[in-house]
Amino acid sequence: MPELPEVETVKRGLIKKVKGRKILKAKVNWNGIVAYPDKEAFIKEIANQTINDIERRGKFLMFILDDYFLISHLRMEGKYFIKEPNEPLSKHDHVIFTLDNNKELRYNDTRKFGKMHLVKKDELDKRPISKLGKEPWDKDLTVKYLKEKLNRKLPIKTLLLDQSIITGIGNIYADEILFLSKINPETKGVDLTNKDLQSIIDNTRTILEKAIEKGGTTIHTYTSVDGITGLFQQELLVHGKKDEPCPNCKNKIIKIVVNTRGTYYCPKCQKK
DNA sequence: AGATCTACCCGCACGC
DNA sequence: TGCGTGCGGGTAGATC
């Protein structure tokens, strides 16, 4: 599933393929994907807009158009493909953009979880990305900042997934970051030391950078339906490794549930 | 009022 | 084989 590194990889791939292209028209085959505005307005307003650039904010892709931002969240399984117009639609192709180079940009989403918002450039503050917290590499992401934001009783695992604090960390990397930081996922935010907070910042950056690097080497796989999952799977240390030996101390990794999210950690290395 | 919790959107994978 | 259930990001709305 796409977390920040995968979204960054998709972004880089899309820039190569569609930057500078004009969207001649759009077709929406599943209304649920288009969250705002309604389908008719979406189709009407996006016609003849040029994709001037593509940016990433947290796990959101942001297509910079002439008068609008197209904000796209892939959620669990969203993918973009470039296809020839005469190629038959795949089962889960839900939004099709016809480009000015006789190609189609197709949004494919097995689980129909993804969302798109088309917003005027001066209306950005009303839409989802306005609430995002610091990007992992933001210079303002400091121990002081985290100390304020994490001064709560919720488990650190839950707080790491809160996109309004640090944006871009998902369920998988949250486990990995806490493992590298030797912090128990159930530790209350308020109980973290300055050293813990610095560890979280450092390890977040390290692991996401490493993952982006990996993503970069397999950039073509974003057009392959099952390509993205396989990539960082091999790199994981604890997530999904129930009953397997901890890479650090060989103790068994255990799985618990923290605020409905499956959570993996080493009880020996990550004591409360 | 602010913090926290819950339901919801979906379809696939898995296990009994 | 067939059915039930867990999964998971973000948001809206409920509740503490």
Side-chain angles (χ1 to χ4, degrees), chain A residues 11-259:
Chain A
K11 184 200 85 176
R12 293 176 185 183
L14 281 174
I15 284 177
K16 287 185 188 169
K17 297 191 175 177
V18 302
K19 183 173 174 175
R21 300 272 60 85
K22 185 191 274 189
I23 296 170
L24 299 181
K25 63 176 181 180
K27 188 165 189 293
V28 178
N29 290 335
W30 185 266
N31 291 352
I33 304 295
V34 175
Y36 180 88
D38 62 47
K39 176 179 164 178
E40 286 69 31
F42 180 89
I43 290 171
K44 191 176 171 209
E45 291 173 28
I46 206 166
N48 296 315
Q49 293 283 315
T50 295
I51 302 170
N52 296 304
D53 207 352
I54 305 169
E55 296 178 5
R56 180 193 57 73
R57 303 278 171 89
K59 299 176 209 172
F60 292 85
L61 285 170
M62 199 156 87
F63 294 78
I64 317 295
L65 307 178
D66 297 321
D67 307 311
Y68 298 87
F69 296 121
L70 172 63
I71 300 167
S72 166
H73 199 301
L74 307 173
R75 294 288 178 97
M76 311 302 295
E77 312 224 9
K79 298 171 190 71
Y80 282 99
F81 297 87
I82 308 291
K83 292 283 176 71
E84 304 291 332
N86 61 7
E87 282 185 69
L89 287 186
S90 304
K91 190 177 173 188
H92 302 293
D93 286 346
H94 302 308
V95 183
I96 293 97
F97 301 100
T98 304
L99 305 177
D100 64 354
N101 59 350
N102 201 31
K103 305 233 186 241
E104 287 183 350
L105 174 63
R106 297 181 182 175
Y107 177 74
N108 178 287
D109 191 340
T110 313
R111 293 173 68 176
K112 301 187 175 110
F113 252 35
K115 297 283 182 224
M116 293 184 192
H117 292 78
L118 182 67
V119 303
K120 290 197 176 70
K121 287 188 173 177
D122 59 1
E123 286 180 347
L124 199 53
D125 55 332
K126 295 179 191 165
R127 292 291 143 195
I129 67 169
S130 66
K131 294 170 192 162
L132 295 181
K134 305 288 183 205
E135 288 282 333
W137 299 278
D138 193 323
K139 286 191 173 57
D140 295 337
L141 175 59
T142 59
V143 169
K144 184 167 175 277
Y145 171 80
L146 281 188
K147 191 125 190 140
E148 279 170 27
K149 289 287 189 179
L150 300 183
N151 186 25
R152 297 156 69 178
K153 290 177 185 170
L154 289 172
I156 181 58
K157 166 72 186 266
T158 302
L159 293 169
L160 281 183
L161 296 178
D162 183 336
Q163 302 297 303
S164 73
I165 301 174
I166 304 175
T167 183
I169 301 173
N171 199 38
I172 293 171
Y173 289 119
D175 285 355
E176 298 296 303
I177 291 163
L178 290 174
F179 174 73
L180 289 178
S181 304
K182 299 192 190 305
I183 296 170
N184 186 290
E186 292 188 294
T187 307
K188 293 173 185 170
V190 66
D191 291 337
L192 294 169
T193 64
N194 284 356
K195 197 182 154 202
D196 291 334
L197 299 177
Q198 189 61 57
S199 268
I200 287 173
I201 294 172
D202 294 343
N203 287 317
T204 297
R205 288 172 177 163
T206 309
I207 198 161
L208 295 182
E209 273 165 20
K210 193 175 163 192
I212 289 174
E213 229 172 81
K214 292 284 167 184
T217 62
T218 54
I219 200 150
H220 61 280
T221 61
Y222 88 90
T223 58
S224 123
V225 172
D226 57 1
I228 283 174
T229 347
L231 165 64
F232 58 84
Q233 211 83 34
Q234 320 150 9
E235 305 287 324
L236 297 179
L237 300 172
V238 288
H239 189 90
K241 307 282 188 188
K242 183 170 182 281
D243 293 336
E244 292 183 39
C246 164
N248 192 32
C249 76
K250 308 302 175 203
N251 227 55
K252 268 191 182 178
I253 303 294
I254 63 168
K255 183 193 180 187
I256 60 171
V257 175
V258 179
N259 276 37

